[in-house]
Amino acid sequence: VVIKSAGPAAVLSFVITGLLVVLVMRMLGEMAVAVPAVGSFYEYARLAWSDRPRLGQLAGFLTGWMYWYFWVIVVALEAVAGAGLVRYWLPNQPAWLISLTVMVLLTLTNVFSVKSYGEFEFWFSSIKVAAISVFLLLAALYVLGLWPGVAPSVVNLTAHGGFAPNGVLPILTGAVAATGFYFGAEIVSIAAAEAAEPAKAVATATNSVITRVLLFYVGSILLVVCLVPWNSAAISTPYVSALSAMHIPAAAHIMNAVVLTAVLSALNSGLYASSRMLFALTRHGDAPRALARLSGNGVPIRAILLGTVFGYGTVIMSYVSPDTIFAFLVNSYGTVAIFVYLLIAVSQLRLRARLEREDPARLRVRMWAYPYLTYLAIAGMLGIVLAMAFIPEQRTPLVFGLISLGLLLLGFLARVRFGPA
């Protein structure tokens, strides 16, 4: 969609958004190493406003519940998407049955133990990384003319109306659309609480985000627009079409399998991230304490099951009410993700200032050019939200995201009125 709108300049859309994500991850790395905590940025939002307890409570409540909301919707979306991919090979099987099977299998994986989640995610991620690495290698060889019988060519970058055939605005709107594609990198700061060496795990992972953004996202899209004309029908299936352009046999089957692996990985991680955030929310009374109960394997089983129940309900809505309830959920979760990143950046701004005053030795990983790059990231994300109001196809997600925020604010008022102190 971004390529169809911006042309080859879609690469710049992903660069812009990718840089924002890199900055947010660096902020998270700084806070996670200085203040390791279950719940990660949920706790940091509370700590950042600890001098104003009610505001800190609100910031934490919104951060935690918005993050949970994002991932339980992703779980449902990936279950629906996974069914569509599996039906490529099993066209006679009902989609709802495939979605249900996928959800049940990965729910059991998460309920069994954190180790089983980690094992599955290791293999899912390994397949994804291996696949995209092979694609980058083969596509680079082809574009550079190192492929047998092929001359170097980047003609598609400019041959069909230029590098930015529709001007600058679609590049910026593409950056808005690309925001949701990057969301999920921050899971590492949540998982760190269950790692043997949390500080080391977070520092290593957050630093590697830079390489992943530049290589996997920007690099692969650059190669796609070199291989496939941006205005062709083939761009609807970019990676399959790129492999076909290189005359790779069985390209559609290969990419369908790889994308299915990516879908299962996102679903698996969504169950993990939502349950751990819900578990963290119970620590300060922002969620019912009964959800904090752990199984014999140390897994917050009730928190996992609540997320899956919401997921099952959303999958049902995708068939029963695709144009109303399901459409609302799909259109609201991306905006909620931007709100979470905004709260992370504001938390880092305040928490860093306090740490520098009280205990600067804890700042072993530091945000670059603080506070200027933090302000730049905040301005960039506010710019994305503002831009959504002026982009016709983004207005509905913005409105639905604001409605979701309003509902959570009502939830906070109910929590203050009826919840624990």
Side-chain angles (χ1 to χ4, degrees), residues 59-96:
F61 183 92
L62 290 178
T63 301
W65 278 109
M66 282 194 292
Y67 195 70
W68 180 86
Y69 178 72
F70 174 87
W71 279 113
V72 292
I73 294 173
V74 167
V75 165
L77 294 181
E78 301 298 359
V80 173
L85 293 165
V86 172
R87 291 190 77 201
Y88 181 79
W89 296 302
L90 303 172
N92 296 323
Q93 296 299 317
W96 68 266

Side-chain angles (χ1 to χ4, degrees), residues 3-10 157 160-168 170-171 230-231:
I3 293 172
K4 281 182 177 180
S5 175
L157 286 178
H160 306 279
F163 182 68
N166 297 320
V168 174
I171 299 174
W230 71 271
N231 56 351

Side-chain angles (χ1 to χ4, degrees), residues 88 146 159 162 252 275 385 390:
Y88 181 79
L146 301 176
S275 64
V385 174
F390 296 94

Side-chain angles (χ1 to χ4, degrees), residues 240-264:
V240 171
S241 298
L243 289 173
S244 297
M246 293 186 285
H247 309 291
I248 303 291
H253 288 283
I254 293 170
M255 285 311 299
N256 199 62
V258 171
V259 174
L260 178 59
T261 302
V263 161
L264 295 175

